[in-house]
Amino acid sequence: METDKKTETNIARAYERYLKLQRGYSPNTLDAYRRDLKKLLDYIEGQEGISVYDVQLSDLQHFAAGLHDIGIHPRSQCRILSGVRSFFRFLQMDGYRDDDPSELLESPVLGEHLPEILSAEEVDALESSIDLSKWEGHRNRAIIEVLFSCGLRVSELVSLKMSDLYLDEQYIRVFGKGSKERLVPISPKAINELHYWFQDRDTMNIKPGEEDYVFLNRRGAHLTRTMILIMIKQQAALAGIQKTISPHTLRHSFATVLLEGGADLRAIQAMLGHESIGTTEIYTHIDVSTLRQQILEHHPRNKKSAEKF
């Protein structure tokens, strides 16, 4: 193979094209992969006599140990090392290397992390805290209700188009990670909130090219993820919710209430757009935690034990 003529910069660009065109990654995901790959390439550059063509497992293990030594969080270490494996799989697949030295590269073991969730009553409190006399009031209620009723990622919400809504049929079309399309049912309450928002939206001066976006800011342009994060944190404070929440909390809450209601895990996987059922299984742990709390609070044996004290 005449790979000697290829510079690491050119390889990195080819890898980025692969992630963008073949894997369909979003600009934000591409930025994360680019930053993580730079960490690896900087490390390789600092080692005498090696390049991406002859890196061995031991080199990658030293790189991984260095991430720990400089204090990078284990979860971030896992993400970086996942990117390293992806990069070397690409090198082998595209003929830059005959082997993949990252096959046996291990990531740090993470403790189980259960995401924060909101009950339906807390979501109601969040929506009730919104001042509907303000211009953005109905918009914000619609945002919260769509996130909770459909389990969308915030990136999916900000890119949601009017042409993706099939409200008469009670479903919406969502383009998730890797531009994968899925159809998600939408509740009558969310549809109702959207119709209230559309009355305000119809009076706006919308910027050219932004006409198809569902959620807009005051200037008639589509919202950003940061704007929605700030709005939800502000409403949580106004509603007196002490939990640390984000738009993703509503997605977790959506999955949890479905599971508690008896929904099949595969159906939840399809609605969330998870590629792996393992990602969806985190919600079985949340459900067990909730069930345990319910048992402690409501089982008659526990009530009797509590009365003795």
Side-chain angles (χ1 to χ4, degrees):
M1 293 183 297
E2 296 184 358
T3 55
D4 292 339
K5 297 178 182 178
K6 303 282 188 180
T7 66
E8 288 181 356
T9 301
N10 288 337
I11 291 176
R13 287 173 180 165
Y15 175 56
E16 188 174 337
R17 284 195 299 273
Y18 158 75
L19 295 177
K20 181 178 181 181
L21 300 176
Q22 294 192 40
R23 300 301 299 273
Y25 287 161
S26 69
N28 288 323
T29 303
L30 287 173
D31 283 343
Y33 271 86
R34 192 183 299 114
R35 287 193 301 270
D36 292 343
L37 178 60
K38 187 176 187 304
K39 290 182 177 67
L40 173 67
L41 296 180
D42 286 348
Y43 169 80
I44 292 172
E45 188 179 338
Q47 308 304 303
E48 218 173 293
I50 66 169
S51 70
V52 293
Y53 310 117
D54 45 35
V55 164
Q56 300 300 311
L57 174 61
S58 58
D59 299 311
L60 297 179
Q61 288 171 332
H62 284 125
F63 170 71
L67 298 177
H68 171 78
D69 291 343
I70 62 176
I72 292 179
H73 191 277
R75 194 167 296 279
S76 296
Q77 291 178 43
C78 287
R79 188 202 69 235
I80 293 168
L81 295 179
S82 175
V84 168
R85 294 187 197 93
S86 171
F87 176 61
F88 280 102
R89 282 196 299 269
F90 163 77
L91 294 185
Q92 185 181 32
M93 180 180 64
D94 256 36
Y96 293 104
R97 290 186 58 128
D98 294 322
D99 64 334
D100 177 0
S102 70
E103 280 184 326
L104 300 178
L105 181 63
E106 295 183 352
S107 293
V109 177
L110 297 175
E112 186 179 274
H113 172 68
L114 300 183
E116 196 79 81
I117 60 169
L118 296 176
S119 66
E121 291 75 20
E122 287 174 316
V123 175
D124 289 340
L126 199 61
E127 292 179 358
S128 297
S129 70
I130 293 172
D131 185 352
L132 294 180
S133 68
K134 292 185 176 179
W135 172 87
E136 68 275 13
H138 285 298
R139 182 201 66 186
N140 291 349
R141 280 187 69 139
I143 286 172
I144 291 171
E145 191 57 40
V146 170
L147 285 171
F148 180 59
S149 295
C150 300
L152 303 189
R153 300 176 177 95
V154 67
S155 58
E156 295 167 347
L157 183 95
V158 297
S159 60
L160 190 65
K161 306 287 181 61
M162 299 293 289
S163 53
D164 296 326
L165 306 181
Y166 300 87
L167 301 185
D168 289 342
E169 293 81 7
Q170 296 192 343
Y171 72 87
I172 62 176
R173 180 175 57 187
V174 178
F175 293 92
K177 290 186 175 180
S179 299
K180 291 182 179 177
E181 178 183 331
R182 68 184 191 276
L183 300 178
V184 180
I186 182 169
S187 70
K189 185 173 184 348
I191 292 172
N192 196 44
E193 295 296 347
L194 280 172
H195 282 312
Y196 280 124
W197 156 236
F198 291 158
Q199 292 176 30
D200 295 332
R201 187 183 182 280
D202 288 343
T203 66
M204 296 180 60
N205 292 319
I206 301 175
K207 285 187 174 181
E210 304 282 290
E211 296 90 351
D212 200 24
Y213 285 99
V214 173
F215 295 109
L216 305 169
N217 61 26
R218 289 175 178 271
R219 296 179 297 279
H222 68 278
L223 295 174
T224 66
R225 299 187 304 171
T226 302
M227 291 175 185
I228 293 177
L229 173 64
I230 292 169
M231 180 273 287
I232 285 179
K233 286 188 174 294
Q234 288 175 341
Q235 293 306 144
L238 289 171
I241 295 172
Q242 301 298 315
K243 299 173 181 177
T244 301
I245 70 168
S246 70
H248 218 64
T249 306
L250 293 162
R251 177 172 161 87
H252 293 316
S253 305
F254 161 84
T256 304
V257 296
L258 283 180
L259 189 65
E260 290 173 352
D264 180 76
L265 200 62
R266 288 286 180 185
I268 298 173
Q269 177 191 5
M271 284 187 279
L272 291 172
H274 284 160
E275 192 167 325
S276 166
I277 190 67
T279 309
T280 316
E281 283 175 346
I282 182 67
Y283 298 107
T284 64
H285 300 302
I286 298 173
D287 191 38
V288 168
S289 300
T290 304
L291 179 61
R292 179 180 180 278
Q293 188 61 33
Q294 292 295 310
I295 291 171
L296 289 174
E297 289 181 4
H298 301 295
H299 195 284
R301 291 284 186 258
N302 291 315
K303 285 185 177 180
K304 288 177 182 178
S305 297
E307 286 169 1
K308 292 179 181 179
F309 298 97

